[in-house]
Amino acid sequence: MDLKSTHKSPVLADSVPMNKSRLGLSSSSVPYSASTTGYSSPGMYLTTPRRKPAPSKLDDVRVSASSPPQKKLNKEFGFEPESEEAETSYHTWVMKYPSALTSFEQITNYAKYKKIALFLDYDGTLSPIVDNPDHAFMSSAMRTAVRNVAKHFPTAIISGRSRDKVCEFVGLTELHYAGSHGMDIMVPLRELESTTDHPNSIRSTDKQEVIPFQPASEFLPMIDEVFRSLVENTNDIEGATVENNKFCVSVHYRLVDEELWPMIAEIVHDILKGYPKLKLTHGRKVLEIRPVIDWNKGKAVEFLLESLGLNNRDDVLPIYVGDDITDEDAFKVLREGNCGYGILVSSVPKESNASYSLRDPSEVKGFLKSLVKWKTTAAV
Ligand SMILES: O=P(O)(O)OC[C@H]1O[C@H](O[C@H]2O[C@H](CO)[C@@H](O)[C@H](O)[C@H]2O)[C@H](O)[C@@H](O)[C@@H]1O
């Protein structure tokens, strides 16, 4: 069965870029629309900045380039370019989303005399995408890079995973963590403001008091119920796994025979019919069920910046690095606020609200190391 073109179902839509439905489903049935994911036509973000005209404008980093061919964009996230043609397409795309490594000087020129606040997604950004979600370990070299960067810049991990799980994977207490796509944040108490006269001197989370911010807490029993129901109903589908991310649930189909993808979609859709207060989003071979609340990774970035006393400040440069659709909400906040840079981790062309790109977690590691080197050697 050609799932890409023939299967028509009212179930759900694929929210991969460019409206390419891998599950072959109509995009109109998903509450998570193109506008909420941030994917849109190229060039629409080259708008007048809302605030802070910068010496080198944040929204000027993308040079104009024609969109890559649609067929090259018809790839699921995370696939490596497979051919010379794909490589050419990538090189065209990277003109529009320049590499954060080759544009490092441009980024740091803008960051001079500013405090960088770093936001990092986990899966596909700090750890490579692997078949088994429980085995998405971060390398020790990456952990060292994150530890080092956090010594110089306030650093937060914002993940779709449960906060506990991502904390366990990363294993660094000196960071800030937001789990469940930002619906579970440990917020540093505002006595931190006393540190703001010392650039980059945000105290580590192990030394400061924190309180939980959980805007979807009322949904916990509902999420648990849906989790159990999804487990029960997908039990017989080989390769399907359901992950409880506390305030959201992931249904993984990476290891499921492609012919059975529509069945998974159908099951999820049928269960969700009974839960109008939950919505469906789509990540990298994963369907994600989460509360219909106006909260996402972008809001989490704004919230964390405010909690850290770093919001609305011309001397702060937030940088967000992520690979998935849910990271687009954060890229969008930075782009539309003209206040920071989004860096998309991707080895295939896709439209994004990010300003720069990196190919894979290994390049992310290189970027983090470069930031540390810059901070420790340049007079900034
Ligand atoms: O926001 P993130 O930290 O990027 O989390 C998004 C989802 O990531 C995980 O799934 C993805 O990575 C897995 C491990 O590499 C892979 O097997 C899966 O196919 C990917 O979708 C995580 O398991 C999900 O719960 C997160 O929502």
Side-chain angles (χ1 to χ4, degrees), residues 307-319:
S307 306
L308 295 167
L310 299 173
N311 62 323
N312 295 323
R313 284 177 45 176
D314 285 352
D315 62 343
V316 171
L317 179 71
I319 295 181

Side-chain angles (χ1 to χ4, degrees), residues 121 123 129-130 159-160 243 245 250 252 254 284 288 297:
D121 168 53
D123 289 280
I129 292 294
V130 292
S159 172
E243 186 181 3
N245 288 333
S250 293
H252 293 276
R254 182 172 294 278
R284 298 177 71 165
E288 296 180 295
K297 288 185 172 184

Side-chain angles (χ1 to χ4, degrees), residues 139-157:
S139 68
S140 52
M142 180 66 95
R143 185 166 296 103
T144 302
V146 176
R147 182 187 287 121
N148 287 340
V149 87
K151 285 179 190 157
H152 300 281
F153 313 105
T155 301
I157 308 289

